[in-house]
Amino acid sequence: MPVLLKVEDQQLKAFILDQKLVPEDKLKKAEEKAKKAKRPIEEILREDNLINEIKLAQLKAYILGIPFIDLEKEEIKPDILYTIPEPIARRHNIIAYKKNGRELEVAMLDPSDLQTIEFIRKKSGLRLLPRLTTPSSIKNALRQYQKTLEAEFGEIIKRETGAVSAAIQEGEDHPEKEELQKMAEDLPIVRIVDTLIKHAVLQNATDIHIEPSEKEVVVRYRIDGLLHDAMVLPSRVHPGIVARIKVLSNLQLDEHRLPQDGRFKLDTDEGRVAFRVSIMPTHDGEKIVMRLLHENPKGFTLESIGFLPDQVEVLQKHLRRTTGMILATGPTGSGKTTTLYTVLEILNKPEVNIVTVEDPIEYRIARINQTQVKPQIGLTFANGLRSIVRQDPDVIMVGEIRDTETASLAVNASLTGHLVLSTLHTNSSAGSFPRLIDMKIEPFLIASTVNVVIAQRLVRRLCSEREKYFLNEKEIGVLEKELKMDRILEALRKSKVVPAHASFKNIPFYRPKPNKDCPDGYKGRIGIHEVLEVTETIKSLINRNATSDEIEEQARKEGMETMLEAGFIKAAQGITSIEEVLRVIHEE
């Protein structure tokens, strides 16, 4: 009998009835439910607790003619486990657990995933023997990656954690200030915090999340825009870690009820890093998020951060102007500040006086006068901007236009002979005009001051080793249901990334190809942008309160590439993948 690769619902149902594992009436109800939900029957059987997941997996293994393995209590040797990199194991639910010479036994949920089996076979040079397992087995094995990560990166943490005594006595809500001070200076705690920071810097993390729960503390790093679990620590070290970070950030040690924000800097092997710290009380204790900012960033250019040649041309034209506004828009973490700092570097010349008001100052730039907002003493964006205008500036950067007062002052500054740079929280470039109108700015003032609006997102870059492929008819059909593919094709042809006669069937695109050096298939990020130039026609649309859709449509007619089109251009260039572009751009 040939070995099957997948168990069909009817086969499974027949074997379940034959072995009397589920009563016939209940199985019939589960089948109806599965059909209605368009889901496999085994998912419904597991959800409704009609069959034990081990029994179900054993039955499937029997039908498929492959062995079953239960890894729930198995400790896998790290050198065998790491034959398959964690991102691949997690994404494809496949675990390496046993090795005999040139043979590698792997536990899987889907033995029909031949592509993954072949990929691992090529990378490891071993013959793979697939075994069926349960979701709980896979979860247990994935937790062991975390343990080996701790062993590899955090041997110090393990050792020092054992040296930390229980911080809070029975019945005590919070330790006294003196006790917290002592904890913060405790050598094991100092080493734990230093190690967490060192690992984050080594892994190019942009944020560290330290999240308490009832029995443990989860540490997560944001790398290339996505959060990854780094390690789990016992809850007893949490008060000490919080105290240590409060001391570093010069925050109140004995304040546990209110949020606090602070900053500190450290010299690392990778250069000087500034840490922006946010502490927020939660039910299980204080949660910490630290944003990492490298103080000596390599000099960026508009091209290096992702702007297309046509977009650079538009921006350069408006950077030569001495009045008006340049706005960068997008959600938090979309790279707006980096774009504005890059623009400031271009404008930073001896004959130009540049003054900024920011919250916070993310990077220090020589010869630029940067002011930090301090609302607690009355130094707001609006008050800072009022004072800046009296500092004889040529260029003003306002970190963010958050309210009517700041918007009004920024508009007035641009009307009185200054070039103003700022950011706005809107999803598209055209959406910034209705946003300013919401802030009570008259349309005629917006039309006469705003020169150009940039909207942006960050996409992950593919590693140099990537997989080339062509879209098939089915994939093109799926994309056409969601996107205006004819417009995207027109933009690809116009940008000369593809030949003038190209169609989607013959344009090569690229997928991530994970490997040992690049486990996700992605490394680093780059911006995708749309640059909306406020032309005479756009001004007339703003003056008559046109919708953002009408403004965007006109801008497209005048040659603007949308973020989606810019993303597809980068996908066709092999810089990123279509999946990554669609992940960051949420089409309405």
Side-chain angles (χ1 to χ4, degrees):
M1 189 177 90
V3 176
L4 297 166
L5 289 174
K6 213 172 180 75
V7 178
E8 298 299 328
D9 279 1
Q10 288 309 312
Q11 283 176 301
L12 191 62
K13 187 184 155 191
F15 274 84
I16 288 170
L17 285 172
D18 184 56
Q19 296 193 25
K20 297 184 173 62
L21 294 172
V22 177
E24 192 171 348
D25 58 332
K26 287 186 179 177
L27 188 62
K28 199 173 181 181
K29 279 181 188 172
E31 192 180 15
E32 285 166 10
K33 195 174 172 181
K35 274 181 186 169
K36 204 173 177 182
K38 293 180 181 173
R39 288 166 64 197
I41 193 170
E42 66 175 273
E43 284 183 17
I44 306 298
L45 291 170
R46 271 204 309 266
E47 261 177 26
D48 294 353
N49 293 319
L50 291 172
I51 191 167
N52 175 296
E53 78 169 9
I54 291 177
K55 275 214 169 76
L56 182 63
Q58 285 171 334
L59 182 61
K60 281 175 68 185
Y62 174 73
I63 297 166
L64 293 170
I66 62 171
F68 167 79
I69 182 74
D70 182 8
L71 299 175
E72 275 218 65
K73 290 171 186 165
E74 284 272 334
E75 275 291 324
I76 304 164
K77 288 180 183 174
D79 58 329
I80 295 173
L81 185 70
Y82 265 88
T83 310
I84 301 173
E86 185 186 0
I88 294 167
R90 203 171 280 280
R91 192 181 302 125
H92 298 285
N93 291 309
I94 180 167
I95 299 292
Y97 70 94
K98 193 175 179 184
K99 192 177 165 194
N100 292 312
R102 305 300 302 158
E103 289 184 338
L104 182 71
E105 291 187 36
V106 293
M108 305 179 75
L109 293 183
D110 180 14
S112 68
D113 188 356
L114 299 177
Q115 199 177 348
T116 302
I117 293 170
E118 184 60 10
F119 171 78
I120 296 162
R121 186 192 66 76
K122 279 183 182 173
K123 287 289 167 192
S124 64
L126 301 170
R127 179 170 170 249
L128 262 64
L129 304 175
R131 309 287 186 246
L132 198 71
T133 192
T134 63
S136 302
S137 273
I138 295 283
K139 271 184 193 168
N140 173 58
L142 289 172
R143 275 197 291 270
Q144 293 183 46
Y145 275 99
Q146 200 165 282
K147 289 177 192 170
T148 58
L149 186 75
E150 278 183 33
E152 190 179 335
F153 291 119
E155 199 54 54
I156 300 169
I157 284 183
K158 242 178 184 174
R159 194 168 61 244
E160 302 304 338
T161 299
V164 177
S165 56
I168 300 172
Q169 298 303 314
E170 201 73 34
E172 221 184 323
D173 277 345
H174 294 288
E176 294 294 323
K177 188 175 179 178
E178 293 75 22
E179 181 65 23
L180 287 165
Q181 187 76 45
K182 193 179 163 191
M183 262 193 261
E185 290 163 9
D186 194 21
L187 200 56
I189 288 292
V190 171
R191 283 183 180 148
I192 287 169
V193 172
D194 285 354
T195 308
L196 287 177
I197 287 169
K198 184 183 165 192
H199 296 163
V201 173
L202 282 172
Q203 293 186 51
N204 286 320
T206 54
D207 301 83
I208 303 171
H209 290 234
I210 299 168
E211 302 169 349
S213 62
E214 194 178 347
K215 292 178 180 172
E216 58 194 20
V217 180
V218 176
V219 179
R220 301 197 285 172
Y221 295 154
R222 189 177 291 281
I223 301 164
D224 291 338
L226 300 178
L227 275 172
H228 299 265
D229 283 5
M231 56 194 77
V232 176
L233 304 172
S235 58
R236 70 172 183 273
V237 303
H238 181 251
I241 289 173
V242 173
R244 176 67 187 159
I245 290 166
K246 282 182 178 177
V247 165
L248 288 171
S249 315
N250 202 21
L251 298 175
Q252 285 179 268
L253 272 174
D254 53 352
E255 178 55 80
H256 307 286
R257 298 165 303 160
L258 295 171
Q260 295 190 73
D261 294 320
R263 286 172 79 88
F264 65 91
K265 294 177 185 179
L266 288 177
D267 288 312
T268 70
D269 296 340
E270 311 294 312
R272 176 163 272 215
V273 181
F275 293 82
R276 199 166 88 204
V277 178
S278 170
I279 299 181
M280 174 74 75
T282 69
H283 182 267
D284 291 307
E286 290 168 281
K287 179 191 170 183
I288 299 170
V289 175
M290 294 190 276
R291 167 70 53 93
L292 281 68
L293 302 159
H294 292 266
E295 289 225 323
N296 45 353
K298 301 170 188 92
F300 290 124
T301 62
L302 293 171
E303 291 86 354
S304 71
I305 60 173
F307 284 93
L308 301 170
D310 290 353
Q311 296 172 335
V312 171
E313 206 176 302
V314 172
L315 282 172
Q316 292 285 11
K317 180 172 98 178
H318 288 286
L319 291 178
R320 288 192 286 272
R321 295 179 67 172
T322 55
T323 62
M325 291 175 75
I326 294 174
L327 297 174
T329 73
T332 305
S334 59
K336 300 185 296 295
T337 306
T338 301
T339 296
L340 289 190
Y341 276 120
T342 304
V343 167
L344 285 180
E345 288 276 21
I346 294 165
L347 296 169
N348 192 9
K349 291 170 186 165
E351 65 272 19
V352 178
N353 178 23
I354 302 174
V355 189
T356 76
V357 56
E358 305 172 56
D359 182 22
I361 296 169
E362 297 207 3
Y363 303 118
R364 288 288 297 112
I365 306 177
R367 299 183 68 94
I368 289 181
N369 310 285
Q370 295 171 269
T371 304
Q372 168 75 51
V373 165
K374 289 176 186 160
Q376 64 272 26
I377 58 166
L379 179 51
T380 60
F381 276 122
N383 289 341
L385 191 44
R386 274 195 199 90
S387 300
I388 279 177
V389 177
R390 296 194 284 273
Q391 288 276 314
D392 184 32
D394 298 298
V395 178
I396 297 168
M397 184 180 106
V398 185
E400 188 185 337
I401 294 175
R402 292 179 183 170
D403 52 46
T404 300
E405 193 180 8
T406 310
S408 178
L409 287 164
V411 165
N412 285 331
S414 63
L415 283 169
T416 54
H418 307 96
L419 183 62
V420 178
L421 312 176
S422 193
T423 69
L424 262 182
H425 278 283
T426 61
N427 286 329
S428 67
S429 51
S432 57
F433 304 113
R435 180 86 180 96
L436 289 169
I437 290 167
D438 285 347
M439 290 181 176
K440 309 286 188 290
I441 306 298
E442 292 292 343
F444 76 90
L445 285 174
I446 298 168
S448 55
T449 55
V450 179
N451 298 341
V452 67
V453 183
I454 303 158
Q456 65 183 79
R457 300 288 187 277
L458 291 176
V459 291
R460 290 181 293 166
R461 285 175 177 269
L462 286 166
C463 295
S464 53
E465 199 178 324
R466 53 189 189 258
E467 186 187 327
K468 185 177 175 180
Y469 75 102
F470 293 88
L471 291 169
N472 60 39
E473 279 189 27
K474 188 182 174 186
E475 288 166 332
I476 294 167
V478 169
L479 289 169
E480 278 173 344
K481 284 179 190 171
E482 302 291 327
L483 313 169
K484 292 170 181 167
M485 295 297 278
D486 52 338
R487 285 189 169 186
I488 291 168
L489 185 58
E490 182 194 320
L492 288 169
R493 288 169 177 165
K494 185 188 147 203
S495 66
K496 297 184 179 156
V497 170
V498 302
H501 59 273
S503 72
F504 274 111
K505 284 183 187 174
N506 54 33
I507 297 171
F509 289 100
Y510 299 85
R511 289 192 186 104
K513 195 174 180 183
N515 57 57
K516 191 184 172 189
D517 299 322
C518 189
D520 282 328
Y522 295 99
K523 196 164 191 178
R525 290 189 291 173
I526 192 167
I528 53 173
H529 308 85
E530 60 188 34
V531 177
L532 193 156
E533 184 178 13
V534 181
T535 59
E536 291 305 317
T537 45
I538 301 285
K539 282 180 184 180
S540 64
L541 286 172
I542 296 166
N543 278 324
R544 64 175 179 82
N545 268 347
T547 64
S548 56
D549 286 346
E550 289 172 313
I551 293 169
E552 184 175 305
E553 190 59 40
Q554 181 58 36
R556 280 202 83 267
K557 284 177 187 169
E558 293 176 11
M560 180 187 84
E561 282 126 346
T562 64
M563 267 188 293
L564 187 66
E565 289 161 5
F568 265 81
I569 288 168
K570 285 198 165 44
Q573 290 171 323
I575 294 168
T576 190
S577 65
I578 292 174
E579 291 78 11
E580 183 65 8
V581 172
L582 298 178
R583 181 182 72 82
V584 300
I585 298 177
H586 307 292
E587 284 292 298
E588 296 301 324

